[in-house]
Amino acid sequence: MGIVVVTGTSTGIGQATAITLARAGHTVFAAMRNLDRGGELREITSKEKLPINIVQLDVDSDNSVEDAFKQILSEKGQIDVLVNNAGIGARGYIEEAPIAAFRQVMETNFFGGLRCIKAVVPSMRERKSGCIINITSVAGQFAMPPQGPYASSKWAFEGLSECLAQELSPFNVRVAIVEPGVIATPLTTTPRPAPPPSPYSMHGRRMGALFAASLSKPTSPFEVAKTIQDIVDGKSTKLRNPAGADGASLINWRKSKTDEEWVSLGAASDAEWVADAKKNMGVDVNLS
């Protein structure tokens, strides 16, 4: 059993991962930005007597990341697994979204993960042992408006992960990417305010309808946690690991088309777009 650090554990995939790995016997350091949001995880930890230690860690802060990882390494001597899960959502059309929105999502989803990676790599490399699991998204494999800011951060994190996997391969440190589809977490189920009118509104309508169709049969974050556990346990040795009920099907929808065909789908009529989603994903999307 190993020493595991999971970021972004107050809710959703991070919380489910911390619980799943602790139930499997690993000692888990469950990191979150705001400790006041850890009530549910504390309750489960206490009730099941799980080996979970809740720690404060803000992935946007150099000092916070450095202090948290130094403390864990000082206490335990090693970190066997890092699960980079902390992330935020961001939607917006490229023309309309402020640059600050792009910077904010990159700070957390890309630089936040990078800070944590740099904190664990030296000791893993020296020990020639370790595993880094980066949670991206199906949006790290293909882009669909209005997810320009979010997809950009996830594509960047996938590129970093692929480089890192090659760098660390000679040192027996494994890197894996987990790509969830539409998962029932606060990120996807929290109601959003109606967006202002936009010439690009049809894309937001389609994205919203696709999410609604996927969430009509909700996928638990524990399904993603199971994928992560399989990587930790060595049952999966792939670099990229789609997760959730529709993770693979969403990626396959994109792979079913050339780049030009995918771009052209943005100009398709609603009826054509719905038919394409049905044909290539098997999902009934309602745009009415």
Side-chain angles (χ1 to χ4, degrees), residues 6 28 42 45 47-48 77 88 112 121 126 169-170 176-177 191 227 247 259 261:
V6 185
V28 176
R42 287 191 189 92
T45 298
K47 182 179 179 181
E48 298 187 28
I88 59 174
V121 160
E126 289 169 4
S169 180
I177 301 167
T227 299
D259 292 343
E261 289 170 339

Side-chain angles (χ1 to χ4, degrees), residues 14-30:
Q15 183 182 105
T17 300
I19 293 168
T20 297
L21 295 180
R23 284 172 177 168
H26 299 283
T27 297
V28 176
F29 285 84

Side-chain angles (χ1 to χ4, degrees), residues 44-196:
I44 294 169
T45 298
S46 176
K47 182 179 179 181
E48 298 187 28
K49 295 181 171 52
L50 296 174
I52 294 177
N53 307 276
I54 297 177
V55 297
Q56 196 280 331
L57 190 157
D58 179 359
V59 300
D60 289 0
S61 164
D62 291 347
N63 290 336
S64 179
V65 170
E66 182 179 357
D67 291 347
F69 280 95
K70 274 187 177 179
Q71 179 61 37
I72 296 168
L73 285 167
S74 174
E75 179 180 335
K76 294 298 182 181
Q78 65 189 60
I79 294 171
D80 299 292
V81 179
L82 166 65
V83 181
N84 263 320
N85 168 74
I88 59 174
R91 292 186 183 183
Y93 304 110
I94 309 302
E95 177 186 343
E96 299 171 351
I99 294 293
F102 285 86
R103 286 201 175 103
Q104 181 181 22
V105 73
M106 286 295 293
E107 189 64 61
T108 300
N109 293 3
F110 178 77
F111 288 108
L114 177 58
R115 287 185 181 94
C116 295
I117 288 167
K118 291 175 78 66
V120 300
V121 160
S123 61
M124 287 184 174
R125 174 180 50 76
E126 289 169 4
R127 290 175 53 235
K128 289 187 166 52
S129 176
C131 180
I132 297 171
I133 301 172
N134 293 331
I135 313 303
T136 61
S137 165
V138 293
Q141 284 265 23
F142 72 92
M144 178 187 293
Q147 287 196 312
Y150 183 75
S152 298
S153 71
K154 295 301 185 179
W155 279 46
F157 204 27
E158 292 224 354
L160 175 77
S161 301
E162 192 165 306
C163 288
L164 184 69
Q166 294 180 64
E167 289 179 4
L168 294 180
S169 180
F171 302 99
N172 195 40
V173 177
R174 188 179 166 217
V175 177
I177 301 167
V178 173
E179 301 163 325
V182 181
I183 310 299
T185 71
L187 191 66
T188 58
T189 60
T190 301
R192 296 172 179 267

